[in-house]
């Protein structure tokens, strides 16, 4: 998988890309993580990538030309077809453009192409679909993702209409820029790649992967400050442990995110367990 992040602050991404699960996945060649500073594509002597909005109003708006040119640059570098251009606009207008590659070294684009699948071009913005685990699993199947991270009042609407394939939001709040949301999404996608985690079952049993919140975890010591690990987990009876974990996941979801139960696929045993848990909850009231 290849992931490119278009940003004005590549240093925000590089620290994250070099540590923990992302760093290890990068080292193993499981994922190629690259950053592109779209200011390199400004096409003007002041290197400005934003301007005041037509019609007036506060804030600055990201211009379409540097974003289109930066995405086109990435597409050309990865062997994909170029984007449509307006009359008179030329490809490769940015000189000495740098991509920060997996090894952390800045390299100028040399025009060579490598075959890749058609990428998803993702705009991080508050108006997008609210991100969840199902979208993470969907995007994890892609060969190439391009993230566009803004840092101003907004984007020129033509970026939305004619460039991006997806708009994503990580919640109903506003951040300074799109880098932190993009990094959140990227982390959730990379950890789903084969070989990215030490334990391959971890990603499968995580909260939301099954549609439910995850069951509680315990480790040594068996007793800590008078608080004991549930006896069932020390029994060695794996079938009973799995039943307990499933019921715990159902109970936690019922208590904390009951909305998830409206869409998750439940077995007859799940429904019976939920009925019992609800009755127990009513009796405690």
């Amino acid at each position: 998988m290849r992931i490119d992040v278009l940003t004005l602050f590549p240093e925000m991404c590089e620290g994250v890309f070099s540590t923990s699960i992302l760093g290890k996945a990068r080292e193993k060649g499981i994922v190629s993580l690259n950053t592109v500073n779209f200011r390199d594509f400004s096409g003007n002597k002041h290197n400005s990538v934003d301007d005041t909005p037509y019609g007036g109003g506060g804030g600055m708006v990201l211009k379409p030309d540097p974003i289109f040119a930066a995405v086109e640059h990435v597409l050309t570098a990865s062997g994909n077809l170029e984007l449509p251009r307006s009359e008179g606009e030329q490809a490769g207008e940015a000189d000495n453009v740098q991509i920060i590659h997996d090894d952390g070294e800045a390299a100028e684009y040399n025009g060579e192409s490598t075959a890749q699948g058609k990428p998803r071009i993702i705009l991080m913005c508050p108006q997008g679909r609210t991100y969840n685990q199902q979208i993470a699993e969907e995007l994890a199947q892609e060969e190439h993702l391009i993230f566009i991270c803004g840092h101003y009042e907004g984007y020129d609407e033509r970026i939305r209409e004619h460039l991006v394939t997806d708009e994503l939001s990580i919640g109903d709040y506003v951040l300074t820029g799109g880098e932190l949301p993009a990094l959140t999404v990227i982390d959730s996608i990379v950890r789903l790649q084969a070989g990215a985690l030490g334990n391959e079952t971890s990603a499968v049993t995580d909260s939301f992967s099954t549609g439910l919140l995850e069951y509680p975890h315990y480790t040594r010591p068996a007793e800590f400050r008078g608080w004991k690990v549930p006896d069932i987990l020390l029994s060695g009876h794996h079938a009973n442990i799995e039943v307990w974990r499933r019921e715990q996941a159902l109970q936690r979801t019922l208590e904390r995110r009951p909305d998830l139960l409206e869409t998750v696929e439940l077995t007859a045993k799940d429904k019976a367990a939920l009925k019992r848990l609800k009755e127990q909850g009513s009796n405690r009231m």
Side-chain angles (χ1 to χ4, degrees), residues 24 41 92 123 126 139 161 183 198 224 241-242 257:
K24 291 177 182 177
F41 298 85
L123 186 71
L139 294 177
E161 292 178 343
L183 291 171
F224 174 68
I241 290 173
E242 288 305 311
R257 288 293 305 276

Side-chain angles (χ1 to χ4, degrees), residues 3 22 86 100 141 179 183 223 231 242 260 278-279:
I3 298 176
L22 293 184
S86 59
I100 308 299
Q141 305 302 313
E179 287 79 11
L183 291 171
E223 183 175 346
D231 291 337
E242 288 305 311
L260 296 176
K278 289 177 180 177
E279 289 173 350

Side-chain angles (χ1 to χ4, degrees), residues 205-221:
T205 58
D206 280 343
S207 290
F208 305 111
S209 291
T210 61
L212 302 173
L213 299 184
E214 196 175 10
Y215 53 79
H217 291 277
Y218 296 88
T219 188
R220 295 178 179 84

Side-chain angles (χ1 to χ4, degrees), residues 79-93:
N80 286 286
L81 294 176
E82 296 181 354
L83 296 170
R85 297 188 198 86
S86 59
E87 187 177 350
E89 185 182 357
Q90 299 298 317
E93 290 181 347

Side-chain angles (χ1 to χ4, degrees), residues 32-100:
S32 171
L33 299 168
N34 312 294
T35 57
V36 177
N37 190 334
F38 59 83
R39 193 179 297 281
D40 292 335
F41 298 85
S42 63
N44 60 75
K45 63 180 181 180
H46 301 295
N47 290 327
S48 62
V49 294
D50 64 322
D51 211 330
T52 54
Y54 280 123
M60 303 291 281
V61 178
L62 279 175
K63 299 165 66 176
D65 33 341
I67 301 295
F68 270 76
V71 170
E72 186 175 59
H73 163 78
V74 171
L75 294 179
T76 304
S78 62
N80 286 286
L81 294 176
E82 296 181 354
L83 296 170
R85 297 188 198 86
S86 59
E87 187 177 350
E89 185 182 357
Q90 299 298 317
E93 290 181 347
D95 296 324
N96 301 319
V97 174
Q98 292 185 332
I99 293 182
I100 308 299

